[in-house]
Amino acid sequence: MEYLRLNNGVRMPMVGFGTWDIRGKKGKACILEALEVGYRLIDTAQMYDNEDIVGEAIKESGIDRKELFITTKLHQPWASYSKAKKGIERSLINLKTDYIDLLLIHEPYENALEMYQAFQKASQNGKVRAIGISNFNIAKYESFIQHCNILPAVNQVESHIYYPQFDLKAVMAQHGTQMQAWGSFTEGRKDIFKEALLIEIGAKYHKSAAQVALRYLVQNKVAVIPKSAHKDRMKENIDIFDFELSSEDMDQIRTFDTGSSLFGWY
């Protein structure tokens, strides 16, 4: 595993395990398998309604809490200072932990700054190690940080070969905010696994199209949180640190960039 050093010194794994749409006993089994495979960053959110099984899986895994990096997010029901404070306590209880490694505002809500003030307080109190945002575009990000005492450590956004958002990444880098990608495989919006160019490039390194797509982001210093319910794919998605795409490969993959969201976020 490779790590990024966030703007407050906290180390974050470059590859984590996403848990969107993973629930119940089967969901907990998936998380346990991911931990067994070697994932140490688990990404969840109150909106996903699965913080409880993340907490249970972590406890059952027997892995030292200090080895793990837990990310969660608060959404609209917690969009005020007082509500966000309660939301943080709810997440701590759900996750069965004394602290959250990374806490994000799920979307750019009207009261996002109030929420963030509660995040800052939680950070100062040791309940959260790093704080940040999610789904903020350039304009919203630049406006938001003008009012922050603690600059966001991470902005988690849609990022994949068709819409990597490297322009946003460049703006955030000037302020020390790290980009983390959701939807690296487009969640079915594009058949990325059958892209001929990715398959061709992967063949040179004995890697799959999926591994090439993730490697492209990681090599551009974008952290990723791919999700899979299949153990073989979990292993494949984390096995991307033993090869490096050439500059020619990178240039070819860059041609996929359409400059448009596949999800209508921006």
Side-chain angles (χ1 to χ4, degrees):
M1 179 56 63
E2 293 181 3
Y3 293 80
L4 291 164
R5 186 74 65 175
L6 301 180
N7 60 14
N8 64 349
V10 170
R11 284 203 327 157
M12 182 179 80
M14 283 291 291
V15 180
F17 184 72
T19 65
W20 177 80
D21 206 28
I22 289 179
R23 300 185 183 90
K25 290 182 179 179
K26 288 184 177 179
K28 185 170 77 170
C30 283
I31 297 164
L32 281 165
E33 281 194 329
L35 292 167
E36 181 186 336
V37 164
Y39 289 87
R40 290 298 178 264
L41 187 160
I42 305 295
D43 179 274
T44 182
Q46 288 214 5
M47 186 187 289
Y48 301 168
D49 194 27
N50 64 6
E51 285 181 331
D52 56 342
I53 61 169
V54 170
E56 290 169 11
I58 286 169
K59 286 289 185 183
E60 290 179 24
S61 74
I63 298 169
D64 191 320
R65 175 66 182 86
K66 293 178 182 177
E67 293 184 28
L68 299 169
F69 192 103
I70 303 174
T71 300
T72 194
K73 315 171 197 77
L74 297 189
H75 59 306
Q76 183 65 58
W78 309 106
S80 75
Y81 178 79
S82 60
K83 289 177 181 177
K85 284 181 67 177
K86 293 177 183 177
I88 293 166
E89 295 301 325
R90 170 85 57 93
S91 286
L92 289 168
I93 292 169
N94 288 344
L95 293 165
K96 300 172 179 58
T97 184
D98 296 328
Y99 65 92
I100 295 162
D101 294 280
L102 177 62
L103 180 65
L104 306 177
I105 296 175
H106 209 137
E107 301 165 288
Y109 307 116
E110 184 177 344
N111 293 337
L113 282 168
E114 285 187 41
M115 296 176 74
Y116 201 72
Q117 288 171 3
F119 285 23
Q120 291 177 146
K121 188 71 172 177
S123 175
Q124 292 162 357
N125 291 340
K127 294 180 179 180
V128 179
R129 295 178 69 218
I131 58 177
I133 53 181
S134 183
N135 298 306
F136 279 61
N137 62 20
I138 290 176
K140 291 183 183 297
Y141 170 78
E142 290 185 321
S143 174
F144 186 80
I145 63 172
Q146 292 178 22
H147 307 282
C148 296
N149 293 326
I150 301 174
L151 286 171
V154 170
N155 184 14
Q156 188 185 111
V157 297
E158 174 190 354
S159 182
H160 42 74
I161 62 169
Y162 307 103
Y163 188 54
Q165 295 211 76
F166 292 152
D167 52 345
L168 170 60
K169 179 180 179 295
V171 170
M172 295 194 302
Q174 297 173 16
H175 302 282
T177 300
Q178 172 64 43
M179 180 184 284
Q180 187 179 47
W182 62 258
S184 302
F185 295 143
T186 79
E187 297 179 8
R189 304 295 173 100
K190 291 267 193 179
D191 200 351
I192 192 170
F193 306 120
K194 293 184 179 178
E195 283 288 0
L197 177 59
L198 297 185
I199 294 170
E200 180 184 337
I201 291 173
K204 294 191 297 182
Y205 305 101
H206 306 289
K207 295 293 181 178
S208 68
Q211 288 171 308
V212 172
L214 290 178
R215 180 69 201 181
Y216 177 70
L217 294 178
V218 166
Q219 211 161 303
N220 278 292
K221 304 302 181 186
V222 177
V224 296
I225 47 169
K227 181 198 79 172
S228 177
H230 305 286
K231 194 171 185 178
D232 288 346
R233 286 288 301 278
M234 292 179 193
K235 291 178 180 178
E236 184 179 297
N237 292 342
I238 207 171
D239 184 23
I240 59 170
F241 297 105
D242 60 350
F243 77 108
E244 185 171 335
L245 297 170
S246 69
S247 57
E248 181 184 359
D249 295 331
M250 298 287 277
D251 288 341
Q252 287 184 299
I253 296 170
R254 195 169 294 117
T255 63
F256 282 114
D257 186 357
T258 65
S260 299
S261 168
L262 295 181
F263 295 83
W265 276 91
Y266 308 98

